[in-house]
Amino acid sequence: MIAVRFAPSPTGYLHIGGARTAIFNWLFAKKHGGKFFLRIEDTDLQRSGEEMTRAILDSLAWLGLDWQGEPVYQSQRFPIYQNQAQLLVRQKKAYRCFCSPEEINAARERAKAAKQNFKYDGRCRKLSPQEIEQHLAAQKPFAIRFAVQPGGATSFKDEIREAVSFDNEVIDDFVVLRSDGVPTYHLAVVVDDHEMGITHVIRGEDHISNTPKQVLLYNALGWPVPVFAHVPLILGPDKSRLSKRHGATAVGEYAAKGFLPEALFNFLAVLGWSPGDDREILAKEELISLFDLSGISKSGAVFDEKKLEWMNGQYLSMTPVERLAPLVEKSFIDSGAAAAAELQNTREYLLQVLALLKPKVKLIQDFAAFGAYFFRDPEQYEEAARLKHWQDPKTPEYLEKLAARLAESSEFSPQKTEETLRHLAEDMSIAASKLIHPTRLAISGFGVGPGLFEMMALLGQDRVVRRLQKAVKLLKAN
């Protein structure tokens, strides 16, 4: 059975790139009826924290990802890694390195001064048994290094990049266990992936240089090597690796900015992967059925937040208002547009407001930003719209007459309000637009928005007439 894993380090929040890797793994497992595991790589005890771990788990759950059993924590498995390292020493596939950090740093500086890549010279590999015993008797600290055999090459097949090969001469005798007993990344992931039964390792291409070391470890321990697939990085608009300088990079930030989890999931799933056609809006079930590693691009994909906003707007328009309501209420309350009790007492009205607004918005917060006028009279009017639609000196007269007509109306449906407005325009021999645009601005404060007559009917006769009269006074005063 196919088994994959997502293995974040809890030294920061879940990054967009990590989230996409998790999604690719999850889709691959679901497609093949396999298992998706979660592993927390918290071997860096100083930088790892429970808060970050919780945030990562929450972000994955928010995206709708589920995993097999409980997460595996590397910090709870140190004895297992230490035993494997000792086994490699006993089999003479690894050795104790007694070099101090100062000696290693000095050698690294010498290589840097000579403009050469640093490579450990293997001096402790040549120690005699007597010298090793002397160091141990003196309780000299030691790390354990893997003994890379000289000559030849280490190769592996990558599902995205095909054959990849590294000359063994460029791979130094890398550390597998530090002197404090903490395993390095290479040993821990190999041991865990083997014990968890991982068949496919799908991860970022920044791990390609780590892979030959891990292949060497698999071979030394006599374990089958999993299939590798290294996913190209996500790029910022300037084609450099996506980072904080490009804006938000953590999943939690996008949740806070008003994106739906389904939209971000869909966006990341097709970022650097193609279903084979031009479709971009795909439900999870469709993504599962279509996903294949062969569809992953070999080059980096640019993260376009404007496109994400567009996609979020598409999802908002498809989401039932009953589900949107609890998400939107907070933004209405936080912005001061409406009180919690007011929203509770006007639930049906709120649902109608959301239904009217949702085809026009892109983010959850947009409902309050562009729909506060459904609960509060506008206190300000969009400047560009004022300059465009309230400059005609006859506009106050037009709005005053419209307010009077509407006040007399016995019906206030979208059809009736439109009929009233257009009849008045005919009576005054003016284009209907001379009334439509100034009216929209007067009752909403914006130059654009949902259908005017639907908006008027939902706001109700009293609100609309009052706001038109308020605009007339304002225009006459100026």
Side-chain angles (χ1 to χ4, degrees), residues 247-385:
T249 59
V251 169
E253 291 178 274
Y254 286 92
K257 287 173 72 173
F259 289 93
L260 291 174
E262 301 96 320
L264 186 57
F265 185 103
N266 187 164
F267 178 79
L268 292 176
V270 297
L271 186 62
W273 171 80
S274 171
D277 53 37
D278 295 331
R279 285 181 295 167
E280 293 181 305
I281 305 295
L282 294 162
K284 280 184 182 176
E285 293 73 20
E286 293 177 288
L287 288 166
I288 290 169
S289 66
L290 294 168
F291 189 78
D292 191 84
L293 295 177
S294 64
I296 298 176
S297 171
K298 291 180 173 64
S299 56
V302 174
F303 187 92
D304 183 349
E305 189 162 333
K306 291 296 181 186
K307 186 173 182 179
L308 172 57
E309 287 182 1
W310 166 81
M311 187 172 285
N312 199 62
Q314 299 298 303
Y315 271 89
L316 284 171
S317 68
M318 295 186 289
T319 302
V321 291
E322 291 79 9
R323 190 197 153 207
L324 286 177
L327 303 175
V328 172
E329 283 175 349
K330 186 177 185 300
S331 62
F332 271 111
I333 295 167
D334 290 348
S335 68
E342 182 181 6
L343 294 174
Q344 212 49 40
N345 295 332
T346 57
R347 177 77 175 180
E348 190 56 39
Y349 177 66
L350 173 64
L351 296 181
Q352 291 177 289
V353 169
L354 301 187
L356 195 59
L357 287 173
K358 70 174 187 170
K360 298 288 185 181
V361 300
K362 293 180 179 178
L363 301 170
I364 291 292
Q365 284 87 334
D366 289 349
F367 284 99
F370 301 113
Y373 59 84
F374 281 104
F375 297 92
R376 298 286 182 269
D377 287 357
E379 296 180 0
Q380 296 179 323
Y381 301 91
E382 191 176 15
E383 186 61 26

Side-chain angles (χ1 to χ4, degrees), residues 75 92 97 122 142 151 178 212 220 235 346 374 400:
S75 60
K92 301 191 182 307
C97 175
F142 64 87
R178 298 186 180 92
L235 309 177
T346 57
F374 281 104
E400 191 168 28

Side-chain angles (χ1 to χ4, degrees), residues 81-307:
Y81 310 133
Q82 291 162 358
N83 287 339
Q84 292 297 337
Q86 294 298 341
L87 173 64
L88 289 170
V89 172
R90 290 196 299 272
Q91 294 177 342
K92 301 191 182 307
K93 294 174 181 177
Y95 59 92
R96 300 178 183 88
C97 175
F98 297 93
C99 295
S100 67
E102 292 75 19
E103 289 175 303
I104 297 296
N105 288 334
R108 185 175 281 112
E109 288 300 318
R110 287 194 296 272
K112 184 178 178 181
K115 297 182 179 180
Q116 297 174 341
N117 291 325
F118 171 72
K119 182 182 177 184
Y120 178 64
D121 59 14
R123 67 181 66 178
C124 288
R125 187 172 180 172
K126 304 165 189 172
L127 293 175
S128 67
Q130 293 77 15
E131 289 173 308
I132 294 172
E133 286 302 322
Q134 288 173 359
H135 288 317
L136 292 175
Q139 296 186 335
K140 191 171 184 181
F142 64 87
I144 293 178
R145 288 182 180 271
F146 184 81
V148 178
Q149 298 305 309
T154 300
S155 304
F156 61 92
K157 183 178 182 297
D158 188 281
E159 291 297 293
I160 297 171
R161 301 171 184 281
E162 300 178 352
V164 181
S165 182
F166 286 80
D167 190 328
N168 284 354
E169 291 302 319
V170 302
I171 308 173
D172 68 351
D173 289 356
F174 54 94
V175 174
V176 294
L177 194 72
R178 298 186 180 92
S179 59
D180 58 3
V182 175
T184 62
Y185 171 76
H186 305 298
L187 179 64
V189 298
V190 167
V191 172
D192 288 344
D193 284 344
H194 172 70
E195 293 198 356
M196 294 168 73
I198 301 302
T199 60
H200 292 69
V201 175
I202 305 169
R203 58 188 180 184
E205 67 177 7
D206 49 334
H207 286 289
I208 286 180
S209 61
N210 295 325
T211 307
K213 297 176 181 179
Q214 291 159 22
V215 170
L216 288 171
L217 281 170
Y218 276 111
N219 293 335
L221 291 165
W223 296 338
V225 179
V227 175
F228 292 99
H230 289 95
V231 180
L233 301 177
I234 297 177
L235 309 177
D238 59 357
K239 304 297 177 68
S240 64
R241 183 173 182 172
L242 186 69
S243 65
K244 288 183 179 179
R245 64 189 177 86
H246 294 114
T249 59
V251 169
E253 291 178 274
Y254 286 92
K257 287 173 72 173
F259 289 93
L260 291 174
E262 301 96 320
L264 186 57
F265 185 103
N266 187 164
F267 178 79
L268 292 176
V270 297
L271 186 62
W273 171 80
S274 171
D277 53 37
D278 295 331
R279 285 181 295 167
E280 293 181 305
I281 305 295
L282 294 162
K284 280 184 182 176
E285 293 73 20
E286 293 177 288
L287 288 166
I288 290 169
S289 66
L290 294 168
F291 189 78
D292 191 84
L293 295 177
S294 64
I296 298 176
S297 171
K298 291 180 173 64
S299 56
V302 174
F303 187 92
D304 183 349
E305 189 162 333
K306 291 296 181 186
K307 186 173 182 179

